[in-house]
Amino acid sequence: DAGVIQSPRHEVTEMGQEVTLRCKPISGHDYLFWYRQTMMRGLELLIYFNNNVPIDDSGMPEDRFSAKMPNASFSTLKIQPSEPRDSAVYFCASKRAMNTEAFFGQGTRLTVV
Amino acid sequence: AQSVAQPEDQVNVAEGNPLTVKCTYSVSGNPYLFWYVQYPNRGLQFLLKYITGDNLVKGSYGFEAEFNKSQTSFHLKKPSALVSDSALYFCAVRDPGGNNLFFGTGTRLTVIP
C-alpha cells in the first residue's frame, strides 16, 4: 500500500485566494482525519470523518475552512479566502478502526503571503 | 479532558547510550496512549501504542515504552541510541470513547555521534 497520499506537498498562495488540499486515505480505512501543525499550537485536529461522514468538526477554525469526503478514497480541505495566519503544515491521516493507530500522510506545507 | 505533557523540549544523548523521552497524561477512564516520530519534512510515523495488557510495550526500531498508571506516565525508551533516531517525538492520548488524538508538544531528540 502506498500509504496516505496528500497533494500538493507545498503550496504558496496570496492572501485572499482559495486553497484546496487533497488527501487519499489508505484503502479500507474507515476514519480520516485532518490535522494542522504550527510552531505555536503544535498538532491540532481540525475535523474527522467516519465512513465519509463528518463526525467532529469542532477544530475547524472558522467558516473559511471546509472539508468534504465525497467517497471513501478522497477528501479535500478548502480554505476560502486564505489568510497569512493559515500558514502551517496540514496533515491527513487515516485509520482502519476505532482502536487502531492512525497513519499520516507527508503533509502539505501551506504558505499564504 | 484528555491531555499529554512532554516536559522536555529537547533531549540530547550520546550514540550508544540509553535514551528516555518523557510523557505524562491526563485522561478520564482508561488511557489509550501512542508514540509517534516525525523526521524532517515528513509526516508522523507510528512507533507503538498501549491499549491494555502488559505495561511494557515494544514498538518499531527497537523502541519501547512503559505504562505507569500510578505516575500517569508513558515514557519512551531505547537501550542504545542511534544517530538515525534523531527526530521529533510526539506522545498522544485518546480517550476510549472518542477518536481524537491529543498530541503533546513534541520532544526533539538529538543523538550525538
Side-chain angles (χ1 to χ4, degrees):
Chain A
D1 199 314
V4 177
I5 299 173
Q6 291 186 247
S7 64
R9 290 292 310 276
H10 302 273
E11 177 79 36
V12 181
T13 191
E14 292 185 345
M15 181 175 62
Q17 297 298 306
E18 177 180 296
V19 175
T20 299
L21 311 181
R22 297 173 175 79
C23 175
K24 176 179 168 55
I26 294 173
S27 177
H29 282 196
D30 291 339
Y31 292 84
L32 183 140
F33 304 80
W34 282 101
Y35 284 89
R36 179 172 67 177
Q37 185 180 36
T38 61
M39 290 292 292
M40 292 298 295
R41 300 175 67 90
L43 276 158
E44 305 172 280
L45 177 70
L46 300 177
I47 185 172
Y48 82 88
F49 296 82
N50 180 22
N51 292 323
N52 313 339
V53 176
I55 302 300
D56 183 356
D57 65 354
S58 59
M60 296 286 263
E62 47 198 275
D63 292 344
R64 297 185 297 106
F65 286 68
S66 62
K68 294 182 180 180
M69 192 165 185
N71 57 61
S73 60
F74 184 65
S75 177
T76 59
L77 178 67
K78 185 177 294 186
I79 308 172
Q80 166 64 22
S82 58
E83 296 182 4
R85 60 193 168 117
D86 301 331
S87 298
V89 181
Y90 291 81
F91 287 105
C92 177
S94 69
K95 70 177 186 179
R96 181 174 50 81
M98 192 165 177
N99 291 341
T100 59
E101 61 273 17
F103 292 84
F104 284 74
Q106 292 192 308
T108 295
R109 182 174 296 277
L110 173 65
T111 304
V112 184
V113 298
Chain B
Q2 289 68 238
S3 67
V4 291
Q6 294 181 244
E8 301 158 317
D9 291 336
Q10 174 82 38
V11 170
N12 296 326
V13 63
E15 185 178 21
N17 282 3
L19 69 87
T20 298
V21 183
K22 295 180 181 177
C23 173
T24 58
Y25 65 89
S26 174
V27 65
S28 54
N30 294 322
Y32 287 38
L33 296 158
F34 301 79
W35 275 102
Y36 283 83
V37 60
Q38 185 178 27
Y39 296 100
N41 300 315
R42 302 293 298 275
L44 279 73
Q45 296 181 28
F46 169 76
L47 279 179
L48 51 80
K49 67 181 177 184
Y50 172 83
I51 304 295
T52 186
D54 291 340
N55 289 343
L56 185 64
V57 179
K58 293 188 182 297
S60 306
Y61 312 122
F63 284 93
E64 58 188 29
E66 185 170 11
F67 172 68
N68 188 318
K69 189 172 184 177
S70 62
Q71 297 185 4
T72 61
S73 67
F74 190 56
H75 301 331
L76 182 70
K77 299 181 179 183
K78 187 172 182 180
S80 178
L82 300 173
V83 174
S84 57
D85 293 329
S86 298
L88 192 55
Y89 290 81
F90 289 94
C91 181
V93 65
R94 181 179 73 76
D95 75 277
N99 277 291
N100 188 10
L101 280 177
F102 294 89
F103 285 89
T105 51
T107 298
R108 185 164 300 283
L109 172 68
T110 301
V111 181
I112 303 164

